[in-house]
Amino acid sequence: QLEILQPDLIVSFGTYLTAAISAWAQKQHVPMITHEQNFLLGRANAFASARIQGLGLGFKDLAEEDGKKTRCEFRFCGQIVRRELREAAEVKTNETQHSKVAELNILVLGGSQGSRAVNDEVMKAVEGLSENEKKGIRFLHIAGAHDRVRMELFYEQQRVKHEVFEYCHDMAQLY
């Protein structure tokens, strides 16, 4: 397919396909850049860094630590956020500026390298909260298909307000 498209530049966002596409791009002499949106450098982007021309990093700490491990030029550029998400966040911010916020809403997203590790860390953090702290928090948690039921039961056991999803097709809705 790529031969048919004959791209002049490839831009990637670190999915597992990045590794294979970067190898193709190197072989065909097509420049490629990618973006790492996670806090840790993903395996696909680490592999691709030897074959691509540039890597944008979503976190400053990643630029300072893992950026040195890359084998291409890298820059901290922050997170790429869709307009719909920015607009939803702005509306929510305007609403909360005019009312007293009694609840902290926490959105939990799993990562490309598995949501189970993220879910396990959230469980540890919630277990460390006092009963009073738990009363002021609501979790919106995208736990993945394999962990949705486990996280539902956990939040119910902990008596924490929550909504748990396998996957979300409309992120702006959660904002």
Side-chain angles (χ1 to χ4, degrees):
Q1 289 284 11
L2 289 172
E3 285 91 358
I4 294 169
L5 293 174
Q6 296 182 343
D8 295 314
L9 171 68
I10 297 173
V11 179
S12 165
F13 293 91
T15 69
Y16 69 96
L17 293 174
T18 297
I21 293 171
S22 69
W24 180 88
Q26 182 183 39
K27 184 178 174 185
Q28 299 299 318
H29 306 287
V30 175
M32 180 172 171
I33 58 174
T34 191
H35 182 267
E36 177 59 69
Q37 67 276 7
N38 294 312
F39 192 72
L40 299 173
L41 186 64
R43 289 182 291 231
N45 281 341
F47 174 86
S49 72
R51 292 157 185 80
I52 64 176
Q53 286 62 50
L55 178 63
L57 303 173
F59 289 93
K60 269 192 178 162
D61 289 348
L62 180 62
E64 292 167 7
E65 298 300 320
D66 280 1
K68 296 171 191 157
K69 298 176 189 173
T70 65
R71 293 165 275 175
C72 66
E73 184 178 336
F74 68 91
R75 289 201 178 128
F76 166 70
C77 60
Q79 294 297 337
I80 299 167
V81 180
R82 290 192 323 238
R83 182 177 355 111
E84 296 88 3
L85 296 180
R86 279 196 322 270
E87 289 170 356
E90 288 169 8
V91 168
K92 188 73 169 174
T93 300
N94 290 336
E95 288 172 0
T96 57
Q97 286 175 348
H98 301 294
S99 66
K100 200 169 194 176
V101 179
E103 196 170 75
L104 175 65
N105 291 301
I106 299 175
L107 175 59
V108 180
L109 308 169
S112 61
Q113 296 186 25
S115 56
R116 186 174 266 298
V118 172
N119 298 342
D120 290 344
E121 290 303 314
V122 169
M123 291 171 84
K124 288 179 200 172
V126 170
E127 287 171 339
L129 297 173
S130 70
E131 291 304 313
N132 197 39
E133 289 170 321
K134 290 177 187 177
K135 289 178 187 174
I137 297 175
R138 181 177 76 127
F139 285 87
L140 300 168
H141 192 139
I142 302 173
H146 64 282
D147 243 2
R148 187 190 61 76
V149 172
R150 181 175 78 114
M151 293 309 298
E152 278 278 353
L153 293 172
F154 171 77
Y155 284 126
E156 288 171 15
Q157 230 175 26
Q158 294 293 314
R159 288 184 234 130
V160 176
K161 293 178 210 158
H162 64 279
E163 290 181 60
V164 180
F165 309 90
E166 288 182 11
Y167 184 81
C168 180
H169 294 281
D170 183 7
M171 288 299 294
Q173 173 191 10
L174 295 179
Y175 278 70

